[in-house]
Amino acid sequence: MELPTKTFRVTRADLVRYAGASGDFNPIHWSDRFATGVGLPGVIAHGMFTMALVGRAVTEWAGAPDAVVDYGVRFTRPVPVPDDDDGTEVEVTAKVKDTTEEGLTRIDIIATCRGQKVLSQARAVIRTPR
C-alpha cells in the first residue's frame, strides 16, 4: 500500500532558520562561493534538516509523533537550494512493507529532490493507526 505523497518547499530562509536553531553555520549551507569551491553544486540543505522534513511526513502518516517507534535514513545526495524566492522541493513517498501482529507497521520511504533520490535505506516503524 502506498501512503500519500508529502511535498516540502525548502528555501534559503529555511536554511537560515535551521542554522540558527541547530547551531550549524557551515558555509556550505549559506555561501554559494564556498559550496562550489568544495565541489558542491551550490548551497545545500542541512542533512539533518532534510531528515527532519521526512520525519514530519512519517509523523503525519503515523497520526502522532509518539506513534513513531523507529526511524532512520542514510544520506545519498545533497539537496541544492537555489538563491531565489522559490527554493526547491523535497518530495516524500512511502510504501507499507509489513504489519506485525503486535500492531507495528514498517514503511519504506523515498525522498527525492528534482527527481534525484536524496536518502537511501529510509525506513520507519510506526504503531499501526487505528
Side-chain angles (χ1 to χ4, degrees), residues 46-66:
H46 303 73
M48 295 303 288
F49 179 65
T50 303
M51 185 178 178
L53 293 175
V54 176
R56 186 184 329 168
V58 172
T59 61
E60 289 177 14
W61 291 321
D66 64 348

Side-chain angles (χ1 to χ4, degrees):
M1 173 175 104
E2 287 203 25
L3 298 172
T5 299
K6 305 287 184 183
T7 303
F8 300 96
R9 179 153 308 280
V10 180
T11 66
R12 294 274 178 103
D14 294 318
L15 302 185
V16 170
R17 286 189 287 275
Y18 185 81
S22 69
D24 182 351
F25 295 100
N26 187 321
I28 63 173
H29 304 303
W30 56 268
S31 169
D32 280 306
R33 184 172 39 91
F34 188 88
T36 57
V38 297
L40 293 167
V43 165
I44 62 169
H46 303 73
M48 295 303 288
F49 179 65
T50 303
M51 185 178 178
L53 293 175
V54 176
R56 186 184 329 168
V58 172
T59 61
E60 289 177 14
W61 291 321
D66 64 348
V68 180
V69 176
D70 188 43
Y71 169 56
V73 306
R74 293 200 189 261
F75 301 105
T76 304
R77 184 177 310 259
V79 173
V81 181
D83 188 12
D84 60 21
D85 292 335
D86 295 328
T88 194
E89 289 183 340
V90 174
E91 186 174 272
V92 186
T93 60
K95 290 184 181 179
V96 171
K97 294 310 276 183
D98 186 32
T99 300
T100 69
E101 290 180 18
E102 295 80 25
L104 298 177
T105 299
R106 189 183 112 215
I107 58 175
D108 288 349
I109 306 160
I110 297 173
T112 60
C113 179
R114 299 180 185 164
Q116 298 283 323
K117 200 170 170 184
V118 296
L119 300 176
S120 65
Q121 297 179 14
R123 296 185 181 106
V125 175
I126 61 174
R127 280 196 246 345
T128 305
R130 301 201 183 274

